[in-house]
Amino acid sequence: MNEPAHLAGLYNGKEPIRSDRETFLPPLPVDMAQQYLTELNEGLDSLPQLTQVPDGHHLRVFLWLRDAIDAFRQSSLPSLGKELHVNVHESLFPSDVLPKEEEKPDYGLDTASMKVFGAWWRATTSPEERSKWAVFDLHHYMAWGDQCSGAVEGFPAGRYACSDLEAKAEVLGQCSTWSQVYRNALEDECGAGLRLASAEFSAGTHHSIRHGCNDVATLETMLVSQVDAARGADVELFWWSYKMPYGGAFRNAWSLKHLLYLLGVLPKPDEALFHCGDHVPPLGEPRDGSL
């Protein structure tokens, strides 16, 4: 179940994404929305420590996901040992529906959306399901936030320069704590024992390839810091793509195969079979140059 909460999201109305038009995600009918909210938040008035799911267009995505989860639940797949990874993304929520929190230095350490997701996950799955086949998955690119990015030229494009070992270690040490923040926020809502994943990450240090670090030392540090932090928080990770041979300059930080080659783990790079401008003869084309 990949990214319905991202592809149908509201994107918070922030520049430069989707600020020029209304969301294409319509709200649920009023009666349906109220009925669903009642189900999600039942019994929570006496439990102020738990978050309540707010009203909004996001309920349409939540309801769709709930029905998909129930279809999986009713199938034979759980008994066969299959898992359901349910991916969501913070861009589902406009900022005005989220719980108010003390402001954090980077968007990745802001737990407001995590709390709402946790409240929905608590109401949608049982503790036993969350410990076995229901895996909650929140994608996270650590370097997308201003406070966690690194750039070849350093500040102001990034918080650290690729060559500044001290600043790089400080920033990555702070920002890799996201995994534990993520687990704490979900456990506060759902209790211990739930399975968590972040099934899309990379070694990219900047949202723009023109600024991002491409040296092997920085890429290795990005990889190791995220993996170590996730392992400590018991968060399952999944790399963006094992290979992307036509990715050009993106390969170093985004192709796991190419990065492992650069690190000396694999013997061959992530190379393309064809190159721009190559002519690939179709079946039946004469080989004598008569065309």
Side-chain angles (χ1 to χ4, degrees):
M1 296 178 64
N2 183 43
E3 295 203 345
H6 183 40
L7 302 177
L10 299 177
Y11 297 104
N12 299 336
K14 294 181 179 179
E15 295 281 1
I17 304 175
R18 295 191 63 83
S19 59
D20 59 335
R21 51 184 167 162
E22 295 294 329
T23 174
F24 58 88
L25 178 64
L28 288 175
V30 175
D31 291 346
M32 185 182 293
Q34 289 305 314
Q35 179 182 350
Y36 188 32
L37 277 175
T38 299
E39 294 174 10
L40 290 172
N41 297 322
E42 184 177 6
L44 294 183
D45 289 341
S46 60
L47 298 170
Q49 73 275 18
L50 297 179
T51 302
Q52 295 195 24
V53 177
D55 193 5
H57 293 207
H58 53 275
L59 291 179
R60 179 175 289 273
V61 173
F62 279 167
L63 187 60
W64 183 87
L65 288 172
R66 184 204 67 179
D67 291 346
I69 292 169
D70 193 52
F72 183 92
R73 178 186 291 121
Q74 300 302 324
S75 74
S76 61
L77 294 174
S79 65
L80 295 174
K82 305 302 180 182
E83 301 172 352
L84 181 67
H85 290 241
V86 181
N87 169 247
V88 294
H89 195 279
E90 298 102 320
S91 62
L92 176 62
F93 305 114
S95 56
D96 58 1
V97 307
L98 295 174
K100 303 304 178 188
E101 288 196 313
E102 179 185 348
E103 206 164 310
K104 299 294 194 301
D106 177 70
Y107 84 99
L109 301 182
D110 180 5
T111 60
S113 60
M114 296 181 192
K115 289 180 178 179
V116 176
F117 280 133
W120 170 77
W121 195 237
R122 179 186 65 239
T124 305
T125 56
S126 70
E128 183 180 7
E129 291 169 344
R130 293 193 290 270
S131 68
K132 292 182 178 178
W133 56 259
V135 183
F136 186 85
D137 170 21
L138 185 63
H139 288 187
H140 179 68
Y141 287 112
M142 185 170 75
W144 266 215
D146 293 340
Q147 295 297 318
C148 293
S149 61
V152 174
E153 66 272 39
F155 186 82
R159 192 175 163 202
Y160 62 88
C162 309
S163 58
D164 190 335
L165 301 182
E166 184 176 346
K168 179 165 51 181
E170 178 184 359
V171 171
L172 296 185
Q174 293 170 348
C175 295
S176 62
T177 61
W178 178 86
S179 294
Q180 192 61 57
V181 171
Y182 171 34
R183 172 157 290 281
N184 292 346
L186 269 292
E187 287 192 349
D188 285 347
E189 299 293 337
C190 300
L194 74 166
R195 293 185 60 188
L196 298 177
S198 185
E200 195 173 298
F201 83 111
S202 77
T205 70
H206 199 280
H207 63 80
S208 171
I209 191 65
R210 294 177 297 174
H211 296 287
C213 304
N214 254 329
D215 61 286
V216 177
T218 299
L219 298 178
E220 181 178 18
T221 302
M222 277 288 289
L223 172 64
V224 172
S225 63
Q226 292 179 89
V227 170
D228 284 349
R231 183 180 290 121
D234 193 19
V235 173
E236 302 171 38
L237 293 180
F238 195 91
W239 191 264
W240 155 257
S241 179
Y242 177 67
K243 60 180 181 178
M244 46 184 306
Y246 300 96
F250 288 90
R251 289 181 304 158
N252 286 13
W254 292 82
S255 165
L256 182 59
K257 179 181 180 181
H258 199 67
L259 179 57
L260 293 177
Y261 164 74
L262 294 175
L263 295 175
V265 177
L266 295 179
K268 295 181 180 179
D270 186 9
E271 292 184 311
L273 295 176
F274 309 102
H275 300 281
C276 183
D278 286 354
H279 174 62
V280 181
L283 185 64
E285 180 178 300
R287 303 284 178 166
D288 58 4
S290 61
L291 283 183

